[in-house]
């Protein structure tokens, strides 16, 4: 978590860095800071709270200079405070850092033994002192001092460093935390994620773990921490800067909810063969041989991506008849699960950098399994480690609560399931055509749902004062119920639980009283009658039901509901993609009614790069 940005060139660096940090605020927002080199000295400003506090401080104290680094923080070591905010300094050095340095206690004790005085509680401060020590001990420049210092550092980091004694230079490095370098015209940038740099360049290179880079206005050089010169390919990024703006919407989350039809179209385009009832092998990240030979699919993911994985299991079992398991990536690392060499491990991660998912992938690979990554961020850590990648083309997702990446993941997983079913000859061409056609029509149905967003605004009022909300679903409706509950929890802070409808009578039904709203995900499919009778049991105990179904489901449901949400008719296989949308809107408008911070909910960060 945390976001870092660096700029070196001829322009005034501070506004560029603050603007870049704004694009990274989703990564953490409890404090922020900036260090600017004016050619002679370095000035540092740090503030507690969101980035706007830093902007306000910079209005009062203008920093001029064309080299600088900045940071937006999600506290790990040391509570949020101005003292613990980055940059951290030691003598001429200022450092910003994203990640966790595991051996910081031992290094700190060693440095304290040599008389170093620490000012913060952070793990980061040791880096500044190590670099200063290397310079005192004779390292010829900042690059070399940083490289040598990093030999002492164990853990995850992306850092950017400036030195008072070397104007016009930034040294940056990564190991385990993301760092992108932007190659501009007579200017260079670095940052934790692409959107931070997009306003300045689309030419970017992705550092590998263990890379150290020296950035100057006119160029750069890269070495490994071990001192070996390396080249990294510059790539053109096709995201646009506008995609990372709110474009007239009140919040990024609302904009991203509305972008979903386009994101799904972009994810499907060029990959599916509607007439042939198939998916192109070159586009899916799994070879036909692997598709035919695999014995089990093992999904690993966290949070929203885990809910997508649950739908993925349902689809691959049904369409490709492959046994499948779904595991929380955070549970994999220390449980020592059994992976087989003929497993296909599907790691789903919007950001591609969630540390738990990354470790699960490492464990799977170590056991000889093949890994497919489903991610929205090209060249991020998880796809880089995987044997194949299937990218969702949802564009940058800035709202901390994932929306468009979730439905794009679902579209990718259904596409993958069709591909596997066709290779394994468990799915007829005709049924594949039907499923793919339904998938292709989903964006149009979504646009109808989004056209009714005002209705969700009204229904959300009924949830505003609810302390607890239940979400129920069966089959493919169950992961959507879980996701609906997660969205509501994350942004409105209401306590919400998702349950498999059939589980109600095994315990949770005890919770129901006449204060409890229960939102039911129930397309009129083969499971509808079962779900409907679970809902009757809830109604009999006074529960206030909000029923989501299609025309047939709503017409045939006999009970009295608090409200109904009618969705377009669709193939039950694509229903989860569609039914996710009203639940996102419901969570969004509930949060708006309650006045919570929708895009940056308390205590959260979008990319979870710590355990
Ligand atoms: O980037 P990832 O998909 O790996 O992230 C996983 C979770 O951290 C993420 O889905 C989280 O639950 C979101 N805040 C959900 O809205």
């Amino acid at each position: 978590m945390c976001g870092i940005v660096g700029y070196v060139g001829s322009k005034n660096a501070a506004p560029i860095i603050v603007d870049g940090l704004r694009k990274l605020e989703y990564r953490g927002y409890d404090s922020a800071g900036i260090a600017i080199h004016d050619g002679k000295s370095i000035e540092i400003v740090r503030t507690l709270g969101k980035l706007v506090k830093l902007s306000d401080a910079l209005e009062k104290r203008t920093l001029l200079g064309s080299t600088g680094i900045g940071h937006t923080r999600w506290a790990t070591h040391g509570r949020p405070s101005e003292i613990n905010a980055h940059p951290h300094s030691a003598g001429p050095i200022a450092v910003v850092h994203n990640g966790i340095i595991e051996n910081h206690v031992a290094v700190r004790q060693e440095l304290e033994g040599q008389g170093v005085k620490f000012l913060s509680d952070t793990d980061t401060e040791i880096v500044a002192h190590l670099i200063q020590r290397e310079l005192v001990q004779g390292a010829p420049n900042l690059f070399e001092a940083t490289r040598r210092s990093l030999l002492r550092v164990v853990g995850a980091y992306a850092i950017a460093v400036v030195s008072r004694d070397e104007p016009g230079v930034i040294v940056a490095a990564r190991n385990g935390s993301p760092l992108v370098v932007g190659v501009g015209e007579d200017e260079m940038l670095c940052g934790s994620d692409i959107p931070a740099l997009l306003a300045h360049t689309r030419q970017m290179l992705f550092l590998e773990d263990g890379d150290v880079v020296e950035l100057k206005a006119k160029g750069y050089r890269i070495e490994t921490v071990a001192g070996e010169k390396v080249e990294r390919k510059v790539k053109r990024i096709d995201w646009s800067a506008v995609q990372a703006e709110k474009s007239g919407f009140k919040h990024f989350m609302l904009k991203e909810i509305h972008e979903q039809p386009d994101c799904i179209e972009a994810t499907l385009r060029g990959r599916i063969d509607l007439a042939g009832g198939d998916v192109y092998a070159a586009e899916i990240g799994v070879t036909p041989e692997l598709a035919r030979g695999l014995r089990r699919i093992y999904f690993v993911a966290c949070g929203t991506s885990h809910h997508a994985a649950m739908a993925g299991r349902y689809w691959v079992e049904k369409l490709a008849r492959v046994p499948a398991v779904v595991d929380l990536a955070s549970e994999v690392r220390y449980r020592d699960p059994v992976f087989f060499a003929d497993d296909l491990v599907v790691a789903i991660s919007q950001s591609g950098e969630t540390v738990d998912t990354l470790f699960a992938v490492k464990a799977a690979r170590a056991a000889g399994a093949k890994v497919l990554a489903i991610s929205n961020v090209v060249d991020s850590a998880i796809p880089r480690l995987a044997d194949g990648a299937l990218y969702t083309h949802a564009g940058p997702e800035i709202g901390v609560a994932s929306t468009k990446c979730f439905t794009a993941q679902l579209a990718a997983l259904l596409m993958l399931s069709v591909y596997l079913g066709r290779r394994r000859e468990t799915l007829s061409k005709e049924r594949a055509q039907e499923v793919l056609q339904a998938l292709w029509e989903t964006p149009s149905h979504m646009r109808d749902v989004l056209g009714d967003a005002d209705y969700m605004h009204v229904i959300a009022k009924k949830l505003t004062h609810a302390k607890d909300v239940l979400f129920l679903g069966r089959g493919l409706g169950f992961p959507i119920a879980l996701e609906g509950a997660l969205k509501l929890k994350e942004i409105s802070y209401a306590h919400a639980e998702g349950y498999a409808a059939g589980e109600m009578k095994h315990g949770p039904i005890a919770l129901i009283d006449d204060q409890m709203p229960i939102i039911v995900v129930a397309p009129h499919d083969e499971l509808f009658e079962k779900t409907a009778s679970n809902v009757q049991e809830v109604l009999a105990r006074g529960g206030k039901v909000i029923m989501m179904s299609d025309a047939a489901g709503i017409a045939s449901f006999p009970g009295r509901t608090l409200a109904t949400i009618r969705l377009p008719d669709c193939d039950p296989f694509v229903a989860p993609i569609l039914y996710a949308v009203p639940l996102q809107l419901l969570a969004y408008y509930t949060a708006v009614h309650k006045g919570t911070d929708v895009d940056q909910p308390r205590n959260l960060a979008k990319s979870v790069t710590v355990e």
Side-chain angles (χ1 to χ4, degrees), residues 215-259:
L215 306 175
K216 293 183 176 174
K218 300 241 180 253
Y220 64 93
R221 65 179 167 122
I222 308 174
E223 283 184 19
T224 65
V225 175
E228 185 193 336
K229 286 192 180 26
V230 282
E231 302 279 335
R232 303 291 174 218
K233 211 167 147 206
V234 176
K235 297 184 179 172
R236 187 180 156 76
I237 302 299
D238 58 10
W239 289 359
S240 79
V242 177
Q243 283 180 299
E245 300 294 343
K246 282 189 204 155
S247 313
F249 285 90
K250 190 170 173 201
H251 296 102
F252 278 112
M253 181 177 176
L254 188 60
K255 177 189 169 231
E256 288 159 4
I257 290 173
H258 280 269
E259 283 174 345

Side-chain angles (χ1 to χ4, degrees), residues 302-305 348-354 357 382 400-403 409 483 486-487 490 604-608:
C302 297
T304 288
S305 299
I348 308 175
S349 174
Q350 172 278 130
S351 61
E353 58 174 296
T354 298
T357 312
I382 293 168
V400 165
S402 183
T403 52
Q409 285 168 348
E483 176 59 10
L486 178 61
K487 288 287 89 88
E490 276 189 298
L604 290 177
K606 191 163 181 70
S607 298
V608 184

Side-chain angles (χ1 to χ4, degrees), residues 461-484:
K461 281 223 163 86
K462 299 179 195 292
L463 300 182
T464 310
H465 300 293
K467 289 211 171 59
D468 306 283
V469 183
L470 273 185
F471 290 73
L472 301 182
R474 254 180 198 265
L476 279 167
F478 175 38
I480 300 309
L482 290 172
E483 176 59 10

